[in-house]
């Protein structure tokens, strides 16, 4: 087994108690305490489901206690950076593919593209929004705008792609 550890951690008392986050650098150790990954990440999504974890460099903790900013990448269980932290968003690892985002901020949706676990770009970041893959297919949106009140995408045109990035249904 492995466990994430936080070095240099301190409680951010400027945040409300319910939202207070530990800040510092995250690294990974094995069950004997042997360091696998030197603490260098500002945030991690810790599950290693499918053998990968999302990591962030340059993030801060916002007033709600959530990660704000920084760049996201993907590592394997040995700490090898599969996709170097260079993206404003990353999500939904599925069958060796992961969605990556460029330009995402609190007020803008940015553009989503698709990469494989070797860092090869399958689809350039062109979509306003994307769904998780299900049965090898995902919905994609072109031209949608971020609805700031709800955090959802409104408008635009929706289409369907397969796991290889081929359009099954063009956005319409």
């Amino acid at each position: 087994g492995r466990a994430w550890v936080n070095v240099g951690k301190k409680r951010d008392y400027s945040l409300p108690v319910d939202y207070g986050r530990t800040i510092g650098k995250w690294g990974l150790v094995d069950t004997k305490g042997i360091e696998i990954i030197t603490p260098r990440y500002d945030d991690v999504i810790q599950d290693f489901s499918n053998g990968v974890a999302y990591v962030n460099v340059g993030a801060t903790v916002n007033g709600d206690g959530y990660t704000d900013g920084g760049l996201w990448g993907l590592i394997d269980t040995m700490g090898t950076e599969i996709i170097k932290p260079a993206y404003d968003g990353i999500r939904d690892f599925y069958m060796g593919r992961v969605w990556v985002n460029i330009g995402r901020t609190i007020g803008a949706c940015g553009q989503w593209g698709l990469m494989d676990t070797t860092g090869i770009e399958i689809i350039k970041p062109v979509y306003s929004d994307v769904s998780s893959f299900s049965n090898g297919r995902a919905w994609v949106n072109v031209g949608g705008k971020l609805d700031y009140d709800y955090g959802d995408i409104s408008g635009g045109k929706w289409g369907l792609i397969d796991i290889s990035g081929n359009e099954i249904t063009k956005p319409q």
Side-chain angles (χ1 to χ4, degrees):
R2 295 172 168 83
W4 288 103
V5 294
N6 189 291
V7 176
K9 66 182 177 179
K10 63 181 179 177
R11 178 82 174 170
D12 185 348
Y13 290 103
S14 68
L15 299 174
V17 174
D18 291 346
Y19 296 108
R21 289 279 303 266
T22 300
I23 55 179
K25 299 291 183 184
W26 291 94
L28 192 67
V29 296
D30 67 14
T31 54
K32 296 179 183 175
I34 297 172
E35 186 177 270
I36 297 169
I37 301 172
T38 302
R40 64 179 174 264
Y41 297 111
D42 294 301
D43 198 5
V44 293
I45 297 180
Q46 306 173 12
D47 61 3
F48 278 112
S49 64
N50 298 307
V52 297
Y54 306 118
V55 293
N56 183 295
V57 294
T60 58
V61 177
N62 68 22
D64 291 329
Y66 294 101
T67 299
D68 194 14
L71 298 173
W72 290 93
L74 190 69
I75 63 171
D76 66 17
T77 57
M78 295 308 296
T80 304
E81 287 184 349
I82 299 167
I83 298 173
K84 294 197 179 302
Y87 296 94
D88 298 309
I90 191 167
R91 68 178 192 204
D92 299 337
F93 183 82
Y94 177 83
M95 292 181 60
R97 305 287 193 264
V98 66
W99 290 113
V100 294
N101 183 285
I102 295 174
R104 183 177 186 198
T105 64
I106 290 176
C109 55
Q111 299 292 299
W112 290 95
L114 189 65
M115 294 185 83
D116 71 12
T117 56
T118 64
I120 293 176
E121 190 175 76
I122 309 283
I123 302 172
K124 292 183 183 302
V126 295
Y127 296 116
S128 302
D129 196 14
V130 294
S131 73
S132 299
F133 278 94
S134 177
N135 296 317
R137 296 183 173 140
W139 292 101
V140 294
N141 179 284
V142 176
K145 302 291 182 206
L146 183 64
D147 182 335
Y148 188 76
D149 291 332
Y150 298 102
D152 293 328
I153 299 297
S154 61
K157 298 177 179 182
W158 288 92
L160 191 64
I161 65 165
D162 67 18
I163 193 73
S164 297
N166 301 310
E167 285 186 345
I168 297 167
T169 305
K170 289 186 181 286
Q172 50 188 322

